[in-house]
Structure formats: C-alpha cells, structure tokens
Amino acid sequence: MIRTALAMSGLGGLVVAFFAVFGGMALVTGTGVIVESGLRSQVNSTRLTGADVVVSARQLVPRKEDLPVALPERATLPSSIVDRLSRLPGVESAVGDLSFPAAVVPGQPSTSGAVTPGTSGSTGPADPAAAGHGWSSLAFSGGKAVEGAPPRRDGELAMAGARVGQEVRVVAGGRPGRYRVTAVIDAPGLYFADSTAAELSGRSGRVDLVALRAGRGITAQTVAAEAERLLGDRYVISTGGARGDAERPGTAAARGMLIALPASIGGISLITVGFVIGGGLSLSVNRQRRDLALLRAAGATPRQVRRLVAVQGCVAALAALPPGAALGYYLAARLGELLEGTGALPPDLPLTYGPLPAVAAAVLLFGVVRLAAWTASLKASRMPPVSAVAESKAEPRVPSRVRTGAACCSCWSRWGCRPRRCWSAARSPGSAPPPPPCSRSSGSPWRGPCWCRRPWGRWRGGCRPGCRRPCGWRSPTPTATRSGRRAPSPLSA
C-alpha cells in the first residue's frame, strides 16, 4: 500500500506535509523542553546544604480552574514551629533561618585585602538582596568559623574576607551602621547575632525557613513524614533537590510561567499544522480523484481509500520528524536565553534536555496528520463508485449553497447602486459646486456611498428626485448659514 500511495500522490501535497510537520516538530519540541524544565528541573541548594529537611510556607495560592498565583514576597512561618519540630523523633537539631538585604560599603581597606559588598572570600559572592542571616543558621550552610568567636551582641558580625576586630560599614535591612568583625567564616553572606538578625529583618516572631537535621541512622524521608504528620498540609516540606525551591521562592512563579506560555505556543502550532496539512492533502486528493474513483469502482472500500491518503501524509511526516526534533532542541536553548533575558526564567533554573519532548511532539503530530488526512479523504471515500467516476471527469457541476448565496449577495450589493446626481442643476453663482455623483469606481460594494443604493436607499432617507443634499457618506455636506442659504465652499473661487 505504501508503494501505491506514493505512486498516486503528487509532489505538492508531500512537500506541504513535510514542511508543515518540520516546522511544527521544531516548535512543539522546543516548547516541550521548556515545559519539561518547568515540571522537572531542580534548583540546587546553595546555602542550606547541611539541612536534610527544609520546611517553608506555601508560595502559591491555588485557584479553581486556573493556574495558582505566586506570592511576590516570601511567605514566613511563626517561630514557634521551630521548637515543635525540634522535639520530633529523629530530629537532631532545628533552626529558623532568616534572610534580609545586607551589604558591606565598598572601599574599606583591610589587612587581607579590600572588603567589597557581599564578598565571601574564596567561596564566591553572595546576593546582597538576601545576604544577611542569623548566626545559628551557619551550621546548616556547610560553612564554619575559621577564626574568632560568634557574634553575641548588637554591632557584631561574622563574614569572610576580613580580619577579626576590624570595623566595617554595613547597610543591613536598609539601616547603615558600623559593625565589628568577631569571626571569619568560609561561607558567603553576613552573619549577625540571632536577636540582631530578627530586628534587622523586620520580622520579629517569624522565620523564613526551618532547617532540620536528621539524627544518626535516620533518613530524611522519615523526618519529613514526621513533620508532615505534625504540621499537615499547611506548609511545604522539602527534601533532596526540592530544597533549592524552598530557598528561592521566585522559582515557583517561574515554573508556572514556563508551563503556561510554551504550552500555549505549542498548542497554537499544532492547530496551525493541522490546517496546513489538511489544505495540502485536500488539494492532493482533488488531484487524485480520478485514481481514487477507479479504485472505488474496482472494489476498494472507503476505509482503504482513507488509509491510502493517510499513508501519504504519514510518510511525509516521518521524513520530517528527525530534522524537526534537532531544530527543536536548538530553538529550546535560544528560547531559554530569551526568557532569561526578560526575567521570566531565573538564571539558577537550568533547562532539562531529555527525549520526552521529542517523543511527545512526534505522537501529537502523527495524530494531527492522521486527523487531517481523514478529514481530507472523507468525501472521496464516502462517494459511491459510479458517482465517483462521473465526478472525476470534471469539477462538480452544482456549486454549494453557501457559495451560490455569497455570489448572489455580492452581485446584488454591487449592482444595486445606480449613479444619480442629487444636486439641483439650478444653483446660484456663488454657491458651492455640486459633489461628484455616486459611482461604483471604488471596486467594492461595501465602500461606496450607502445613501444612493437601492432598495435600501429610500429606507435610509437617501436620494429623492429634486434632493438638494449631497448623497454618499464621502461627500462633504455644505454648511448652512443662519439666513438659510448655503455657505460657499472654500474651493469655489
């Protein structure tokens, strides 16, 4: 059947199907990579690496029959949860974490080099928007104190890239001040005393996250199950790779956008491909109607005719899938750069490249091609053999009712207007010249003057014998003076 289908098909229909599937495969695969990244991509935990379980508040507000709304700021938890979680079986320690803006004023000399904002020595820079933390959360960040003692009072901090006893100018929580370095650490950020951090963050009695460390021989899943049994579904309990999402609440909003926007683009691409392939196969079937009629007369069933047309479209689609998939992965990388440049994709949320988007795109496009081929061949397959042979000799002699009605309405609208001069031939020497008569020179019946057309011209109060008003919406209406005479036109000289 494949050889017969290819022998009967014309080159035009196959080329149309090939390029339509090629473009659709590229777009659907590229958007599928973005959607898969929004569903499966994980943000690595960069600060709370020593925590086995992280408890956070929900950053998404669910809505019925719509995507959830991401909160613009981090939702906090009551600090009383820390004591409750620390008493759970299997929990070795629990700490409430706070993050707030903090940065060192640049240009301050030190014995170990210049201190710059948000610098953390050899560990790399920290984000100044969330560089301030409490000292108790340092044990969960994977860092430790290299030298000195932890900060205990106001005006003390621990940081990297400084020396013990040095005074630095810091802007923390929007308040500038001088702080004395009491400890040198090997972790990014600025660490204050816990009471000072709570005051600078402006969230007294609240914490951003609760970090839990499991005891020896206890798995993180066991601790997470105990925490979920205690707290219920009011809070989000994260383990493994999900801890990075808890640290960065902006990734939740980015995931929703990565799912909604590319999915809509992919859906529109599928619909467009279906229409293009349906049109191309319809032309191909129209060109093959004599051969299909002979097949029907020879005993071919309607199902065999539809399958023959479907094979033609599927062969062209099969040849376009591999290059379209390769182009789709390239477009996914470029689309990721575009979304990252506009701020819709966080830089720390990587794209996930896997075979699933290409496989899903191939299945969807094969379904679209099959549906388009079935629609294009439906009329030819259902026609009786005798009628098919008769219709194959020439075009159908009786047009459809829709085409006939549209042609009659167009002719009636076009020829229903007769040019008439409505301006009186007798006019005073100083009056304005008469407007041009109604004509059909515009080329379209819907653009010409409506007032002069019959039979609706009289219904609109249009032209009448002896009418002294200009007919047509394009003709300017002369202005009448208070004496009842028409004002002369500015064009009359």
Coordinates of all heavy atoms in Angstrom, one line a residue, residues 288-320:
Q288 N -6.1 13.6 -7.2 CA -6.1 12.1 -7.4 C -7.5 11.6 -7.5 O -7.7 10.3 -7.3 CB -5.4 11.4 -6.2 CG -4.0 11.9 -5.9 CD -3.5 11.4 -4.6 OE1 -3.7 10.2 -4.3 NE2 -2.8 12.2 -3.9
R289 N -8.5 12.4 -7.7 CA -9.9 11.9 -7.6 C -10.2 10.9 -8.7 O -11.0 10.0 -8.5 CB -10.9 13.1 -7.6 CG -10.9 13.8 -8.9 CD -11.9 15.0 -8.8 NE -12.0 15.7 -10.1 CZ -11.2 16.7 -10.5 NH1 -10.2 17.1 -9.8 NH2 -11.5 17.2 -11.7
R290 N -9.6 11.0 -9.9 CA -9.8 10.0 -10.9 C -9.3 8.6 -10.5 O -10.0 7.6 -10.6 CB -9.2 10.5 -12.2 CG -9.4 9.5 -13.4 CD -8.6 10.0 -14.6 NE -9.2 11.2 -15.1 CZ -10.3 11.2 -15.9 NH1 -10.8 10.1 -16.4 NH2 -10.7 12.4 -16.3
D291 N -8.1 8.6 -9.9 CA -7.5 7.3 -9.5 C -8.3 6.8 -8.3 O -8.5 5.5 -8.2 CB -6.0 7.5 -9.1 CG -5.2 8.0 -10.2 OD1 -5.5 7.7 -11.4 OD2 -4.2 8.7 -10.0
L292 N -8.7 7.6 -7.4 CA -9.5 7.1 -6.3 C -10.8 6.6 -6.7 O -11.3 5.6 -6.2 CB -9.6 8.2 -5.2 CG -8.4 8.7 -4.5 CD1 -8.7 9.9 -3.6 CD2 -7.7 7.6 -3.8
A293 N -11.4 7.3 -7.7 CA -12.7 6.8 -8.3 C -12.5 5.4 -8.9 O -13.4 4.5 -8.8 CB -13.2 7.8 -9.3
L294 N -11.4 5.2 -9.6 CA -11.2 3.9 -10.2 C -11.0 2.8 -9.2 O -11.4 1.7 -9.3 CB -10.0 4.0 -11.2 CG -10.2 4.9 -12.4 CD1 -8.9 4.9 -13.3 CD2 -11.3 4.3 -13.3
L295 N -10.3 3.2 -8.1 CA -10.1 2.2 -7.0 C -11.4 1.9 -6.4 O -11.7 0.7 -6.0 CB -9.2 2.8 -6.0 CG -7.7 2.9 -6.3 CD1 -6.9 3.5 -5.2 CD2 -7.1 1.5 -6.6
R296 N -12.3 2.9 -6.2 CA -13.6 2.6 -5.6 C -14.4 1.7 -6.6 O -15.2 0.8 -6.2 CB -14.4 3.9 -5.4 CG -13.8 4.7 -4.3 CD -14.1 4.2 -2.9 NE -15.6 4.4 -2.6 CZ -16.4 3.4 -2.3 NH1 -16.0 2.1 -2.3 NH2 -17.7 3.7 -2.1
A297 N -14.3 2.0 -7.9 CA -15.0 1.2 -8.9 C -14.5 -0.3 -8.9 O -15.2 -1.2 -9.2 CB -15.0 1.8 -10.3
A298 N -13.2 -0.4 -8.6 CA -12.6 -1.7 -8.7 C -12.9 -2.5 -7.4 O -12.4 -3.7 -7.3 CB -11.1 -1.6 -8.9
G299 N -13.5 -1.9 -6.4 CA -13.9 -2.7 -5.2 C -13.2 -2.2 -3.9 O -13.3 -2.9 -2.9
A300 N -12.5 -1.1 -4.0 CA -11.8 -0.6 -2.8 C -12.9 -0.1 -1.8 O -13.8 0.6 -2.2 CB -10.8 0.5 -3.1
T301 N -12.7 -0.4 -0.5 CA -13.6 0.1 0.5 C -13.3 1.5 0.9 O -12.2 2.0 0.7 CB -13.5 -0.8 1.7 OG1 -12.2 -0.8 2.3 CG2 -13.9 -2.3 1.3
P302 N -14.2 2.2 1.5 CA -13.9 3.6 1.9 C -12.8 3.6 2.9 O -12.0 4.6 2.9 CB -15.3 4.1 2.6 CG -16.3 3.3 1.9 CD -15.7 1.9 1.6
R303 N -12.7 2.6 3.8 CA -11.6 2.6 4.7 C -10.2 2.5 4.0 O -9.3 3.1 4.5 CB -11.8 1.4 5.7 CG -10.8 1.4 6.8 CD -11.1 0.2 7.8 NE -10.1 0.2 8.9 CZ -10.2 -0.7 9.8 NH1 -11.1 -1.7 9.8 NH2 -9.3 -0.7 10.8
Q304 N -10.2 1.7 3.0 CA -8.9 1.6 2.3 C -8.5 2.9 1.6 O -7.3 3.2 1.5 CB -9.0 0.4 1.2 CG -9.1 -0.9 1.9 CD -9.3 -2.0 0.8 OE1 -9.8 -1.8 -0.3 NE2 -9.0 -3.3 1.2
V305 N -9.5 3.6 1.1 CA -9.2 4.9 0.5 C -8.7 5.9 1.5 O -7.7 6.6 1.2 CB -10.5 5.4 -0.2 CG1 -10.2 6.9 -0.8 CG2 -10.9 4.5 -1.4
R306 N -9.3 5.9 2.6 CA -8.8 6.8 3.7 C -7.4 6.4 4.2 O -6.6 7.3 4.5 CB -9.8 6.8 4.9 CG -11.1 7.5 4.5 CD -11.9 7.8 5.8 NE -12.4 6.5 6.4 CZ -13.5 5.9 6.2 NH1 -14.4 6.5 5.3 NH2 -13.9 4.8 6.8
R307 N -7.2 5.1 4.3 CA -5.9 4.7 4.7 C -4.8 5.0 3.7 O -3.7 5.3 4.0 CB -5.9 3.2 4.9 CG -4.6 2.6 5.5 CD -4.7 1.1 5.7 NE -5.8 0.8 6.6 CZ -6.2 -0.4 6.9 NH1 -5.6 -1.5 6.3 NH2 -7.2 -0.7 7.8
L308 N -5.2 5.0 2.4 CA -4.2 5.3 1.3 C -3.8 6.8 1.4 O -2.6 7.1 1.3 CB -4.9 5.1 0.0 CG -4.0 5.1 -1.3 CD1 -3.0 3.9 -1.3 CD2 -4.8 5.1 -2.5
V309 N -4.8 7.7 1.7 CA -4.4 9.1 1.8 C -3.6 9.3 3.1 O -2.7 10.2 3.2 CB -5.7 10.0 1.8 CG1 -5.4 11.4 2.1 CG2 -6.4 9.8 0.5
A310 N -4.0 8.6 4.2 CA -3.2 8.7 5.4 C -1.8 8.3 5.3 O -0.9 8.9 5.9 CB -3.9 7.9 6.5
V311 N -1.5 7.3 4.5 CA -0.2 6.8 4.3 C 0.7 7.9 3.6 O 1.8 8.1 4.0 CB -0.2 5.5 3.5 CG1 1.2 5.2 3.0 CG2 -0.7 4.4 4.3
Q312 N 0.1 8.6 2.7 CA 0.8 9.7 2.0 C 1.2 10.8 3.0 O 2.4 11.2 3.0 CB -0.1 10.3 0.9 CG -0.5 9.3 -0.2 CD -1.5 9.9 -1.2 OE1 -1.8 11.1 -1.1 NE2 -1.9 9.1 -2.1
G313 N 0.3 11.2 3.9 CA 0.7 12.2 4.9 C 1.7 11.7 5.9 O 2.6 12.4 6.3
C314 N 1.5 10.5 6.3 CA 2.4 9.9 7.4 C 3.8 9.7 6.9 O 4.8 9.9 7.6 CB 1.8 8.6 7.9 SG 0.3 8.9 8.9
V315 N 4.0 9.3 5.6 CA 5.3 9.2 5.0 C 6.0 10.5 5.0 O 7.2 10.6 5.4 CB 5.2 8.5 3.6 CG1 6.6 8.6 2.9 CG2 4.8 7.1 3.8
A316 N 5.4 11.5 4.6 CA 6.0 12.9 4.6 C 6.3 13.3 6.0 O 7.3 14.0 6.2 CB 5.1 13.9 3.9
A317 N 5.4 13.0 6.9 CA 5.6 13.4 8.3 C 6.8 12.7 8.9 O 7.6 13.2 9.7 CB 4.4 13.2 9.1
L318 N 6.9 11.4 8.6 CA 8.0 10.6 9.1 C 9.4 11.1 8.7 O 10.3 11.1 9.5 CB 7.8 9.1 8.7 CG 8.8 8.1 9.3 CD1 8.7 8.1 10.8 CD2 8.6 6.7 8.7
A319 N 9.4 11.6 7.5 CA 10.7 12.1 7.0 C 11.1 13.4 7.6 O 12.3 13.8 7.7 CB 10.7 12.2 5.5
A320 N 10.1 14.2 8.1 CA 10.3 15.5 8.7 C 10.6 15.4 10.2 O 11.0 16.5 10.8 CB 9.1 16.4 8.4

